[in-house]
Amino acid sequence: VVYSRSHYLREIVFVIQSQSNSFHMSWAERQRADLLQQTQSLTQTPPPVLLLHSLTDNEGDWSILPLLPYLSSLFGKNSSWLVFLEEETNVKVTKLLQALRKFDRRKEWFLGKPLHDEESTIIHHYAFAENPSIFKYPDFSAAWALSIPLLDRLANKVRDDPLKSDFTIDLKHEVALYIWENGQGPRLTAVPELCTEPEHSPTAQHCATTLRRPAPLCGEPVKKEDIFVAVKTCKKFHSERVPVVKKTWEREASLLEYYSDHTDPSIPTIDLGVPNTERGHCGKTFAILERYISDAVPKTSWLLVVDDDTLISLPRLQMLLSCYNPSEPVCLGERYGYGLGQGGYSYITGGGGMVFSRAAVVRLLASDCKCYRDDAPDDMVLGMCLNALGLPVTHSSLFHQARPEDYSRDFLAHQVPISFHKHWNIDPVAVFNRWLKDESMSTSTHGLNKSTKEEL
């Protein structure tokens, strides 16, 4: 048995979906060390453990599909499984081997922990609108796997038929759609051993994967005085959306300004001299960046730019930011991609909140990057600029461009979210109270209950 186990282990390739920010790199390295340590006792030859961000120079590798030909050419001959892990995925290697052995590795398999939509959602382009729960896609946090025969076929498909998708919005759903291929390819097969329970949970006995909780996070939360908050609004939303911000999260901010096309002293708003545009807001956002590094506002390490219909937990953001070094150019939020199959670029989607370290803003403004029009999409123009400068976009799944309804319930169940966006067909104050408010927060972050601290 020992031989077959060690033999089998060599046929697994682990891919950690790592990112090129120093905090994320150190997490991924720790995870790689843990996997190699576990496999040491099982086999002489350790399995390959790859860090996604360092495989090639293609910035779009995080979207997985462009990378499949490369992985197929490297491992197609002598491996059986490609297992993808997120940074917080904790693996019990022997249990994972047992789970994979139940599947014939000579066949096409797409394995994972299934998620489904309760209702059709904009983030999935309203796919399966008739019956949204019919389509299953993997929760990446639980790990997911492709058998090599499937990898090889997909790699050929990517080679022969360039990836068409313009936008990468929710990768796990888009990868599943690509593999399913309108019913021509395999559906996701549920593997009960792939779990998202916390690693020490009594219900996780049978699990091959669990979620590690990086508690107690990375030290003291960043002080609220060290985050400058910029809220983008315009005259028509002064009475509709701004009151929601004031009712929900404004009081947690130490330094906050509302930027509008109209000066309203009762809010108060600041007119940056950029006319309001129906969409895009690039001119306004660049004016905010300029103001942030000017003497007009107090000097802080972090800038948060949000829309007037963004709902956000600033105390949770303060805790998350304790993991990042503001002297590095950090651009953090929910990452989307544009044209990643053809070179393209990544960007932080604006509605979920865009977080920049001062170092990042200084680098951006020192370059000759600017809006090609005032109403260009600000988040995408910033993405192009960052890409041109070679600065990474750092993804956190705790920021959300859409409403809680737009995400799978099981996916949100293992998160302590930082933001949601849009007031469409919901009561935004109720959404804030349910998803983003922590009881002990109004006094100070130190009262933050321990469970929240563990969750991030």
Side-chain angles (χ1 to χ4, degrees), residues 267-279:
I267 293 178
T269 59
I270 292 169
D271 179 353
L272 292 168
V274 178
N276 187 52
T277 52
E278 273 304 299
R279 49 172 198 272

Side-chain angles (χ1 to χ4, degrees), residues 112-126:
K113 179 189 178 188
L115 296 172
H116 66 269
D117 295 340
E118 309 286 332
E119 47 187 72
S120 74
T121 161
I122 185 168
I123 62 168
H124 298 152
H125 303 297
Y126 299 109

Side-chain angles (χ1 to χ4, degrees), residues 34 38 41 54 102 111 175 182 214 298 383 385-386 446:
D34 173 60
Q38 286 188 61
S41 56
S54 62
K102 297 175 187 169
L111 307 176
V175 164
N182 289 320
C385 297
L386 296 172
H446 294 294

Side-chain angles (χ1 to χ4, degrees), residues 161-199:
D161 186 13
L163 295 159
K164 286 190 228 4
S165 159
D166 291 341
F167 288 95
T168 304
I169 289 177
D170 185 19
L171 184 63
K172 52 196 181 299
H173 192 269
E174 288 155 37
V175 164
L177 272 181
Y178 188 80
I179 292 172
W180 178 63
E181 213 180 329
N182 289 320
Q184 307 296 299
R187 287 177 175 270
L188 180 69
T189 298
V191 179
E193 294 86 352
L194 299 180
C195 310
T196 49
E197 265 84 328
E199 72 189 284

